[in-house]
Amino acid sequence: MIRAFHRWPGILAALLLTALALSGAVLSVYPAAERLSSPQAEASLSVADLAGSIAASHPGLEQIRRAPSGQVTAYWFDGGTPQASVIDPVTGQDAAPIDPAPVKRWLTNLHRSLFLGDAGRIVAAAGAGAMLVLALSGAALVARRVGGWRRWFAPLRGSLTGRLHVEIARIAVVGLVLSAATGLWMSASTFDLLPDGASTPAFPAEVSGQTGMDLAGASALQELPVAAFRSLSLADPTDPTDVHALKTDQGTGYLDQGTGELLAWADLSAWQQVSETIFMLHTGQGAAVLGLVLGLMALGVPVMAGTGVLLWLTSHHARPRIRGNAPQRQAETVLLVGSEGGSTWGFAATLHAALSQTGQRVHAAPMTGFDPTRYPDSARFIILAATYGEGCAPESARGFLDRLARLDRAPGAPLAVLGFGDRGFPAFCAFAEAVAAAAEAKGWPQLLPIGSLDRQSPQDFARWGRALGAALGIKLDLVHQPVVPASEALTLVSRRDYGAEVQAPTAILRFARPSPTLWQRLTGRGFARFQPGDLLGILPEGSPLPRFYSLASGSRDGFVEIVVRKQAGGLCSGQLVELEQGGTVRAFLRSNPGFHAGRARPPLILIGAGTGIGPLAGFIRENPRRRPVHLFFGMRHADSDFLYREELAGWQVAGRLSRLVTANSRGEHPHYVQDALRNEAPEVARLVGMGARVMVCGGRGMAAGVSAALADILLPAGLTPALLKAEGRYVEEIY
């Protein structure tokens, strides 16, 4: 529900909010510019001295005004012609002509009414209301994504578009709420929807009947500092019954034009004070610095509008459409989905359709929105959860465990959990297991034991479906047809072969980068944007399931490069190693932000063995700023599989690679990359002490050996790999 409240106002009002935000941002500059350009009065100057000096040099003076910026303006008649000028408060003389500011007037009309009069004011007010809904719902969604309000500034992961949208929102949301709320107040005031609340003094019934007193001698003005002054409208000198009208930041009053005495006074009401504060907060007049800050925050609106639309379009196309999704309050069966790349949603759609055919009312939703009170008629919960990285929650399940822990009690409807993973990885279905364990600890009834799917196996899914059907007392046949990801043809332009001498055929494959369309550039889809460490999904002939390889190149390199070793019985690796120049494969990209080098300045310690050097080589290639990079590379034999040998030498000369340490597991003095780390223990400890980030890529055995070696190296400093992982300074890409 919160997501819908956030999505539709944003999509429908994107252009309107962009126009209001940009015009408001530009208008926020004017109060600061006016304050800097206007002569300012001394703190000791009284209104009597100011008015006296201006009146002396401006015969026919009608009015004096002081803006919140400190600018003083005088209005008078000269031979029947109205005149106006900015005044130097020190001398009372003209300082500058009044700037008509046509651009400011144009922007103000655009911002307030869109040049449409009252109809435009209503539209602008609706825009302010939409902004308030967006800001509040967006804040709730950010808190949900990061796992609570206390983790407001927790690190983000996900696509660049999504991270940019949230990062701007986290900074700008307070200002946007303030601007939207004050804008709504001012719109309501314009249409007299709020009580007037004005406090005005009664016009004096008795006056002295005298005229012509020097304003400098007016007692009511002598103790009034200029800083509190708003305006002074002078009485008609030909009418002895007329009076001066005075306004300050405390109230309004009338002065006798002959004696200068205060005849009547009324303080500002509480309502007026609130209204003036709101006016100041919205316009920045009287709070120039605050106005500039709010203006800067408003500049984030066009970016968030653009990224928000792109995110919606991307998710709209990425997530399978689930037909007949029952309203959540009527659902008997609730499917909660935790997915990173979208494939788990395909299985959810198959399960949803099968259960719906049995007559059940089924509702599917992301795990991020878990709230059992939304499902009052629920008879069972089913969680389909993938695992991200080393046992982490996937994108659509962020914060689920925290929300479960905060519940007073577990739901009464029983739960079934199905995990998705790859048994080739050590953290197989680790997040699903964590969910099942947390549910059991909370006392959530179990519908059936946790199940698991290896490599999205349709057979495993059908087997689990039969067990679920037995638990529900129904016949449940789950026939899942994997959705083949949208892919493009990649043409091999070059290859370098290694490893034949050690019976481990390996190749560095370089493909031409497909030219992205304009739409792909805008949305980041296809091969528009990618970095070393992202994943290239290859669709081998004869199988609908993709195999993933870490990229050794980025989009700025202009090509797509991977490193592949032929695996015994490997369908995809066999086809790739045998691919000839000019041959093609079907492939797609998957972002892997958890294994990006980033642009920080601390040193990098890169550790890899065999084909694991692929993304590490990409990091080095994209290091033009000469960030300190230390590479530890393990191979079988330098004469057979020293991958990127020539490039590494060139990168050292260019300053992109600070140091290279190699380890050969065959030949004279065989040792592994973890042994090379131990040999360089003092240097490794020194780099980690300087804040270095450790990135490991390779097989499970190598990764375990590296972790054990680092644990020994860092022990004297009181550090462990686990602590570095918690700080985001130790990341692994293990296969």
Side-chain angles (χ1 to χ4, degrees):
M1 182 64 72
I2 295 177
R3 190 176 296 277
F5 270 116
H6 187 75
R7 180 190 303 122
W8 295 115
I11 293 174
L12 297 175
L15 291 177
L16 172 62
L17 295 179
T18 296
L20 295 177
L22 290 177
S23 58
V26 177
L27 287 171
S28 71
V29 176
Y30 281 93
E34 187 175 279
R35 182 170 183 82
L36 292 173
S37 62
S38 301
Q40 300 293 313
E42 297 179 357
S44 60
L45 185 67
S46 70
V47 175
D49 293 334
L50 174 67
S53 62
I54 295 175
S57 58
H58 297 81
L61 182 65
E62 289 279 327
Q63 189 181 55
I64 305 171
R65 294 180 187 172
R66 181 182 179 275
S69 65
Q71 184 182 82
V72 177
T73 308
Y75 300 85
W76 72 96
F77 280 90
D78 183 5
T81 303
Q83 304 287 338
S85 179
V86 176
I87 301 298
D88 184 346
V90 177
T91 64
Q93 302 293 324
D94 296 355
I98 293 181
D99 183 5
V103 174
K104 180 182 178 182
R105 286 204 303 271
W106 187 88
L107 287 169
T108 301
N109 287 333
L110 171 64
H111 189 74
R112 291 180 179 174
S113 66
L114 305 170
F115 309 113
L116 298 175
D118 285 347
R121 288 184 173 88
I122 294 174
V123 174
M131 176 61 72
L132 186 61
V133 171
L134 286 169
L136 294 176
S137 59
L141 290 173
V142 171
R144 176 190 294 180
R145 174 171 177 172
V146 299
W149 299 101
R150 294 182 179 180
R151 293 175 50 82
W152 184 258
F153 288 105
L156 298 172
R157 59 182 174 86
S159 67
L160 174 63
T161 304
R163 285 183 286 120
L164 182 61
H165 188 82
V166 176
E167 290 290 8
I168 294 175
R170 294 200 288 195
I171 296 172
V173 66
V174 174
L176 297 180
V177 168
L178 184 60
S179 295
T182 53
L184 281 173
W185 179 288
M186 293 175 64
S187 296
S189 179
T190 298
F191 288 103
D192 296 325
L193 299 178
L194 299 176
D196 184 15
S199 178
T200 57
F203 194 86
E206 297 182 2
V207 296
S208 68
Q210 303 175 30
T211 62
M213 180 180 181
D214 185 358
L215 292 174
S219 58
L221 303 179
Q222 288 176 343
E223 296 182 0
L224 179 64
V226 171
F229 175 61
R230 298 280 182 83
S231 69
L232 178 64
S233 299
L234 301 185
D236 182 356
T238 64
D239 182 2
T241 64
D242 199 6
V243 294
H244 301 318
L246 173 67
K247 290 185 179 181
T248 74
D249 59 7
Q250 298 297 316
T252 60
Y254 295 117
L255 278 65
D256 192 298
Q257 66 168 313
T259 65
E261 295 180 359
L262 184 64
L263 301 177
W265 179 260
D267 289 328
L268 290 179
S269 67
W271 190 264
Q272 285 176 300
Q273 292 178 31
V274 170
S275 296
E276 291 196 358
T277 300
I278 288 174
F279 179 83
M280 176 193 69
L281 292 174
H282 190 79
T283 64
Q285 296 185 32
V289 174
L290 175 62
L292 289 174
V293 172
L294 294 180
L296 287 173
M297 292 180 174
L299 289 176
V301 171
V303 182
M304 287 190 289
T307 54
V309 170
L310 291 178
L311 286 170
W312 176 76
L313 289 173
T314 302
S315 65
H316 183 70
H317 291 291
R319 183 186 300 181
R321 293 186 179 181
I322 297 181
R323 297 180 179 179
N325 203 26
Q328 54 189 13
R329 300 193 65 83
Q330 300 175 15
E332 297 173 276
T333 300
V334 180
L335 304 183
L336 299 176
V337 183
S339 178
E340 182 70 27
S343 58
T344 309
W345 279 103
F347 287 89
T350 299
L351 178 59
H352 187 285
L355 290 172
S356 297
Q357 288 175 0
T358 67
Q360 295 187 25
R361 298 188 301 274
V362 187
H363 178 81
M367 293 176 68
T368 51
F370 172 63
D371 182 354
T373 61
R374 298 177 179 176
Y375 310 106
D377 291 343
S378 61
R380 63 199 63 85
F381 287 86
I382 302 174
I383 291 178
L384 308 184
T387 295
Y388 177 82
E390 295 298 299
C392 298
E395 183 65 29
S396 69
R398 291 291 297 272
F400 174 85
L401 291 175
D402 291 334
R403 281 185 289 280
L404 176 59
R406 288 196 297 267
L407 291 179
D408 293 333
R409 62 179 184 275
L415 169 70
V417 178
L418 177 62
F420 293 74
D422 185 335
R423 292 192 185 278
F425 290 85
F428 174 68
C429 293
F431 177 69
E433 292 175 353
V435 169
E440 183 180 2
K442 197 72 177 180
W444 199 337
Q446 187 181 81
L447 181 61
L448 75 162
I450 182 174
S452 61
L453 259 70
D454 182 27
R455 302 182 184 182
Q456 303 180 17
S457 166
Q459 293 78 18
D460 287 351
F461 191 50
R463 190 179 303 111
W464 176 82
R466 289 192 290 271
L468 176 63
L472 299 177
I474 60 175
K475 180 178 171 56
L476 191 62
D477 294 323
L478 299 180
V479 180
H480 180 68
Q481 297 294 331
V483 178
V484 179
S487 61
E488 298 186 46
L490 294 185
T491 302
L492 186 67
V493 294
S494 70
R495 60 176 297 147
R496 285 178 288 170
D497 294 286
Y498 301 83
E501 298 86 345
V502 290
Q503 292 75 50
T506 305
I508 298 176
L509 303 179
R510 179 172 293 184
F511 299 91
R513 177 195 177 197
S515 263
T517 64
L518 176 60
W519 176 248
Q520 289 174 332
R521 291 181 188 276
L522 291 174
T523 60
R525 302 177 73 184
F527 286 83
R529 290 189 295 270
F530 56 92
Q531 300 181 40
D534 284 338
L535 302 176
L536 183 71
I538 302 289
L539 295 171
E541 295 182 7
S543 172
L545 296 180
R547 275 54 163 188
F548 291 95
Y549 298 87
S550 293
L551 280 171
S553 61
S555 50
R556 288 184 296 182
D557 297 321
F559 52 81
V560 179
E561 188 169 279
I562 57 175
V563 183
V564 182
R565 194 183 96 181
K566 185 175 182 179
Q567 303 294 324
L571 175 65
C572 189
S573 65
Q575 293 177 7
L576 287 172
V577 169
E578 295 173 4
L579 189 67
E580 297 181 356
Q581 186 172 338
T584 62
V585 294
R586 302 296 302 184
F588 61 94
L589 283 175
R590 177 173 293 177
S591 178
N592 187 23
F595 201 71
H596 289 169
R599 298 184 178 274
R601 296 300 301 170
L604 275 179
I605 300 176
L606 306 179
I607 307 169
T611 58
I613 195 177
L616 309 185
F619 299 150
I620 300 168
R621 182 189 282 123
E622 291 200 346
N623 183 34
R625 298 184 180 181
R626 285 143 181 86
R627 176 184 187 179
V629 176
H630 300 255
L631 173 64
F632 292 81
F633 177 40
M635 66 196 84
R636 297 192 178 189
H637 198 287
D639 294 335
S640 64
D641 53 356
F642 195 160
L643 304 172
Y644 292 102
R645 185 173 202 160
E646 295 78 11
E647 288 93 333
L648 291 172
W651 292 333
Q652 278 190 286
V653 173
R656 299 188 180 197
L657 176 61
S658 305
R659 193 157 181 259
L660 171 64
V661 179
T662 60
N664 301 316
S665 60
R666 297 186 183 181
E668 294 185 13
H669 311 294
H671 63 294
Y672 296 94
V673 69
Q674 52 264 44
D675 301 318
L677 279 174
R678 294 181 188 276
N679 294 338
E680 300 290 332
E683 178 65 6
V684 172
R686 184 186 71 83
L687 291 170
V688 172
M690 293 172 57
R693 188 169 189 238
V694 181
M695 304 186 73
V696 182
C697 186
R700 295 193 303 275
M702 180 276 299
V706 166
S707 180
L710 283 174
D712 293 340
I713 292 170
L714 300 177
L715 182 61
L719 296 173
T720 65
L723 287 174
L724 294 182
K725 281 186 178 180
E727 297 174 359
R729 293 171 56 200
Y730 188 101
V731 292
E732 298 171 306
E733 186 69 20
I734 304 172
Y735 49 83

